[in-house]
Amino acid sequence: MEKTFVMLKPSAVTRGIIGNILTRVENRGLKIVAVKMIQLTAETAGKLYAVHHGKPFYKNLIEHVTSAPVVALVVEGEDAVKIMRKLVGNTNPKEAEPGTVRGDLAMTTTKNVIHASDSVENAQTEINIFFKPQEIMTYKRADENWIY
Ligand SMILES: Nc1ncnc2c1ncn2[C@@H]1O[C@H](COP(=O)(O)OP(=O)(O)OP(=O)(O)O)[C@@H](O)[C@H]1O
Ligand SMILES: [Mg+2]
């Protein structure tokens, strides 16, 4: 089983579509093993998006993700990193396929409503930024034998 880090951005929280997005994650068969709502500081946002430091969109990105609370999640499942990225869709919602979170629920790249880790290695780094080991749960979904 693989774990990935997911974050519902302020554009999702303020629009009241947390449930819509979490339902998609759960319905797919992925398991939510940690969740918290937090107000990101510029420092934490800078850690999450360190690779983008200096890029033209960086300032807008940090401004957006610190503009209202976010919901941080750890999501678990077989190939969870890859499956979450596909479920999220293209970075630019205008290029994202219908059926994906961004393709169904977003219009602009800055306010693309969700973040998901892009590799297993980055997932672990990002999980560690947001969660202590004891905040990540272990449990069995009632339908697990029907998912795998
Ligand atoms: N050209 C751009 N213009 C405006 N914002 C951008 C642009 N490129 C990226 N971003 C913002 O920075 C975030 C991180 O960019 P990245 O290239 O890592 O895309 P991503 O991996 O699809 O998104 P995320 O890391 O949020 O899951 C994007 O989700 C988006 O909000
Ligand atoms: Mg990314």
Side-chain angles (χ1 to χ4, degrees), residues 5 7 9 48-49 51-52 55-58 60-61 64-65 85 88-92 102 108-118 126:
F5 175 72
M7 189 178 81
K9 296 179 182 178
L48 178 63
Y49 286 121
V51 294
H52 298 302
K55 292 185 186 171
F57 59 84
Y58 183 77
N60 278 349
L61 175 62
H64 175 58
V65 295
R85 291 287 288 186
V88 161
N90 195 291
T91 307
N92 179 353
R102 289 167 177 166
T108 71
T109 305
T110 300
K111 294 179 179 154
N112 62 7
V113 304
I114 188 167
H115 161 84
S117 308
D118 60 7
E126 292 170 6

Side-chain angles (χ1 to χ4, degrees), residues 1-8 18-36 71-77 80 84 87 114 131 135-141 143-144 147-148:
M1 285 293 165
E2 200 167 276
K3 286 186 177 67
T4 190
F5 175 72
V6 174
M7 189 178 81
L8 309 189
I18 296 171
N20 182 315
I21 299 170
L22 295 189
T23 296
R24 292 161 185 253
V25 174
E26 291 184 309
N27 284 353
R28 182 62 190 267
L30 290 164
K31 181 156 65 180
I32 295 169
V33 293
V35 56
K36 63 167 87 158
V71 174
L73 302 142
V74 180
V75 170
E76 186 182 86
M84 265 313 304
L87 197 142
I114 188 167
F131 293 96
E135 291 174 328
I136 301 168
M137 301 298 131
T138 305
Y139 69 99
K140 200 168 154 57
R141 275 181 65 136
D143 56 3
E144 217 149 273
I147 293 170
Y148 295 108

Side-chain angles (χ1 to χ4, degrees), residues 80-131:
V81 170
K82 182 175 154 192
I83 288 176
M84 265 313 304
R85 291 287 288 186
K86 282 191 167 288
L87 197 142
V88 161
N90 195 291
T91 307
N92 179 353
K94 294 186 178 82
E95 303 297 331
E97 295 294 331
T100 64
V101 173
R102 289 167 177 166
D104 288 350
L105 301 172
M107 290 292 276
T108 71
T109 305
T110 300
K111 294 179 179 154
N112 62 7
V113 304
I114 188 167
H115 161 84
S117 308
D118 60 7
S119 70
V120 175
E121 196 193 354
N122 287 341
Q124 199 48 61
T125 306
E126 292 170 6
I127 289 168
N128 291 340
I129 296 173
F130 288 84
F131 293 96

